[in-house]
Amino acid sequence: MTIRAQVEKLLAQMTPVEKAGQLTQYFYFRLPEGAEPVLDFDADEQPKMVESKLQEGVTGSLLFVTDPAEINRLQRLAVEGNRLGIPVLFGFDVIHGLRTIFPVPIAMAASWDPETIEAGQVVAAREARAVGIHWSFAPMVDIARDPRWGRIVEGAGEDPFLGAVVAAAQVRGFQGPELGAPERIIAGPKHLAGYGYALGGRDYDEVNLSDSELWNVVFPPFVAALEAGAANVMTGYMDLNGIPATGNRWLFTEVLRETWGFDGFVVSDANAVRNLLTHGFAADLTDAGARAVNAGVDMEMTIADAAYAQLPAALDSGATDVATIDASVRRILEAKIRLGLFDAPYVDEDRARQVLADPAHRDVARVAAQRSAVLLRNEGDLLPLDAAALSSVAVIGPLADSARDIIGPWVFDFDLDETVTVLDGIRARTGDAIRVEYARGVPVVQREFPSLFDMFGWNKPSDPEGFDEDAEFQRAVEYAGAADVAVVVVGEWQNMIGEMASRSSLELPGRQLDLLQAVVATGTPVVLLVMNGRPLDLRWAAANVPAILDIWYPGTQGGAAAANLLFGDVSPGGKLPFTWPRTVGQVPMVHTHTRSHEPENQARRYWDEASTPLFPFGYGLSYSRFDYTDLTVDQPTTTTDGTVTVSVEVTNSGAREADEVVQLYLHQRYGTASRPVRELKGFRRVTLAAGESRTLSFPVGPDERRYWNAAVREWVTDASIFDVWIGGDSTAELSTTFEIT
Ligand code: BGC
């Protein structure tokens, strides 16, 4: 029987209530004893309610179960419990790994390496599929230009070109060549669209986006994810230009399906259909359900009180119609069939255990952590450290030995025992040869308002029993003063970044800057490791600390990777996926701004602080040096449909093998709209041996030059003169031009 015929056969037997059930996805988790739910739901009753819905056959999908035995038990309730026995899809936020935790997504983007990113999601998919998860709510492809927004950590940063490459790589990793490929899962790019532009960086707040920004900046990563085959798309929580995204027919039908040709299924963000009431958009639950499904939202994700349970009533009243509901049900059933759920609804729990323990996964994670680190400063070539010349190292800072923090936010099924902290990594790397002393130095910092995830108990940081703040500070300074080198780890605790983790400042929380200053004042050379998912205010460090390495939240193997980088087993080669501001007052700040009145004063738009970044987009050093020469264009002039090839010679002029991310930026001098001063239009990460040169070529064709023109509301390719730069970051100086006639 064809898939189509299977779907139609099932559909023909289904009642409106069962159809509505297929379109409903429930959370399923149990909170620890005594935990206070941060969201508004009855934590005791909710799981029971879901179990009875499974048995009644009125649930299409569950989210948040990661234990294979639990998954099998719940699946059995669906398959054996009701008359049609349709298996449920298990979805989960497999954001940067399931058991093996990879660097957070912003870090993976900083690798500027699609192969590393794809390899990470292949492992994540393998682990997820082994435990019975069929679908990841990832990649988050929202462009983030305001680092106050906590979810900047989940995406690829500010740039649409980089964002598109990263999005496609993640989808390939999760889903493989086709839906249903073995050991792969559904990829669900999210959140269509514009969630990263929340007003003031405040999570969930409204978004007002210009037509130009929407098409030129926000949409490209979604388009790339869909072109890579993503079978699902998630909506966003917020109002987009005055219409809630989850009730936005233009977005989900005209753009997503009619313009982009998407034929997968759409899921709402959590409770976002019910939220159509909160927004003052829908009149009641029935109206909310009808308007969401009519807009093109196939499945509702909810914790309770499903609006889609009202779809039969909406059918009766004519608020929606059978064709709309059936189209959505078909999409869900088709996904289940393609994934093979009807043939194999259960997982092998023994095999799941083996897959989760596969040591090869840890290797992939370690390499990813090494490749995502960004070297921000290295005065006097302090790094790499020469282990043979050192007798002692002081490791300082509470984040230096926190297994929970090094794996970052948005993880639920981690293994802290096997997680390697920075301290563990340094100790393992140096062995007995070097004395390693550790002091936390400062207490952990608590949030003013709780995190969404603090209800899970393991999410909040804590100080060790009997922690004495003054004595500890003193100890840290003493250790640092007596050591040959101090490695200080600073940043944000992981519950300070992510969903519901926006901030009004970018300063180092707590007394971390005091500690850093006191350590630097000892005169011992200091290497600063930064653990973060957003740019932090590092102005003091950038002027006073010789070496700064951004390791992000590098995951399960993060400490091993950090040690390998510190001691030069490998050279850092990552680059910043966002513009790093000096201070919060500058945000949003992006490298793709347009040129305007008095451009000679671009760096002096504020009277109190330079209006330039602390570190530019695309920036990152290595333990070697790279020279760029012979920038050429194969033809000085071509027509609007022509492609020029831009080439450059890159030479590793340092003394050791290292990676460089070669970046191409483009600028259109004049045309039918003002275009950004520079736009990233090509990049490649290469490994060059000491002294090696390589010529790299990049096509610049109509795809690289076209843009959405808001005046005529269509894609245009202007005749113009173009400047092109190639170099190691967005301030590259080597340039040439070509003309389009
Ligand atoms: C987030 C989504 C996530 C969902 C399920 C929501 O609060 O916005 O990105 O996939 O929860 O965990």
Side-chain angles (χ1 to χ4, degrees), residues 70-87:
E70 260 306 79
I71 287 181
N72 281 341
R73 181 181 71 81
L74 294 162
Q75 186 69 286
R76 200 156 271 126
L77 292 181
V79 172
E80 293 172 8
N82 67 79
R83 69 180 192 106
L84 293 175
I86 301 175

Side-chain angles (χ1 to χ4, degrees), residues 451-468:
S451 152
L452 174 62
F453 305 107
D454 285 348
M455 62 184 168
F456 292 99
W458 38 251
N459 204 49
K460 275 168 84 163
S462 60
D463 289 317
E465 198 96 354
F467 185 85
D468 177 337

Side-chain angles (χ1 to χ4, degrees), residues 9 37 129 195 258 327 343 406 416 426-427 496 508 551 580 587 653 682 690 722 733:
K9 191 172 164 216
R129 191 70 203 244
Y195 182 22
E258 292 167 8
D343 302 327
I406 201 168
L416 292 186
I426 290 176
R427 285 208 164 119
M496 297 176 167
L508 291 173
I551 59 169
W580 192 304
V587 309
S653 52
F722 287 83
E733 283 174 4

Side-chain angles (χ1 to χ4, degrees), residues 534-552:
R534 57 160 64 97
L536 296 168
D537 187 337
L538 289 188
R539 283 177 291 180
W540 189 87
N544 297 287
V545 182
I548 308 176
L549 180 66
D550 192 343
I551 59 169
W552 315 98

Side-chain angles (χ1 to χ4, degrees), residues 25 27 39 63-64 92-93 95 136-138 140 151 154 190-191 195 203-204 234-237 268-271 301 410 412 452-453 499:
Q25 179 188 49
F27 278 85
L39 301 173
L63 76 152
F64 251 81
F92 189 59
D93 294 272
I95 306 297
S136 173
F137 309 127
M140 191 196 88
R151 300 192 81 171
E154 280 182 66
K190 68 190 186 186
H191 308 80
Y195 182 22
D203 211 359
Y204 314 138
M234 187 186 288
T235 74
Y237 279 128
S268 79
D269 203 341
N271 302 328
M301 178 193 290
W410 258 132
F412 289 86
L452 174 62
F453 305 107
E499 188 172 351

Side-chain angles (χ1 to χ4, degrees), residues 51-275:
E51 292 187 17
S52 66
K53 298 251 181 239
L54 287 170
Q55 282 165 305
E56 290 158 33
V58 290
T59 298
S61 177
L62 296 186
L63 76 152
F64 251 81
V65 201
T66 57
D67 173 37
E70 260 306 79
I71 287 181
N72 281 341
R73 181 181 71 81
L74 294 162
Q75 186 69 286
R76 200 156 271 126
L77 292 181
V79 172
E80 293 172 8
N82 67 79
R83 69 180 192 106
L84 293 175
I86 301 175
V88 293
L89 272 173
F90 284 88
F92 189 59
D93 294 272
V94 187
I95 306 297
H96 54 116
L98 184 75
R99 179 70 54 83
T100 305
I101 306 300
F102 284 80
V104 288
I106 193 78
M108 293 298 268
S111 75
W112 291 57
D113 183 12
E115 279 176 33
T116 297
I117 294 165
E118 180 174 342
Q121 300 303 31
V122 167
V123 168
R126 182 162 192 258
E127 293 187 358
R129 191 70 203 244
V131 303
I133 292 167
H134 310 115
W135 164 20
S136 173
F137 309 127
M140 191 196 88
V141 305
D142 296 314
I143 295 289
R145 297 187 152 187
D146 187 335
R148 291 173 297 181
W149 188 53
R151 300 192 81 171
I152 185 174
V153 66
E154 280 182 66
E158 77 181 37
D159 188 81
F161 187 90
L162 178 62
V165 171
V166 172
Q170 294 202 63
V171 171
R172 288 195 303 272
F174 281 129
Q175 248 187 233
E178 76 216 335
L179 191 56
E183 308 204 299
R184 302 297 179 101
I185 57 179
I186 296 174
K190 68 190 186 186
H191 308 80
L192 195 64
Y195 182 22
Y197 284 68
L199 212 61
R202 293 181 296 271
D203 211 359
Y204 314 138
D205 273 10
E206 71 188 88
V207 168
N208 295 295
L209 263 176
S210 75
D211 194 39
S212 164
E213 191 97 341
L214 207 46
W215 288 91
N216 290 316
V217 181
V218 171
F219 284 161
F222 283 98
V223 174
L226 300 184
E227 282 172 1
N232 170 254
V233 169
M234 187 186 288
T235 74
Y237 279 128
M238 69 300 149
D239 280 326
L240 172 63
N241 297 334
I243 312 288
T246 305
N248 198 319
R249 189 176 183 284
W250 171 76
L251 205 50
F252 286 95
T253 298
E254 288 179 39
V255 176
L256 179 65
R257 296 210 183 271
E258 292 167 8
T259 307
W260 297 341
F262 178 63
D263 61 3
F265 67 103
V266 173
V267 69
S268 79
D269 203 341
N271 302 328
V273 177
R274 264 197 290 136
N275 274 351

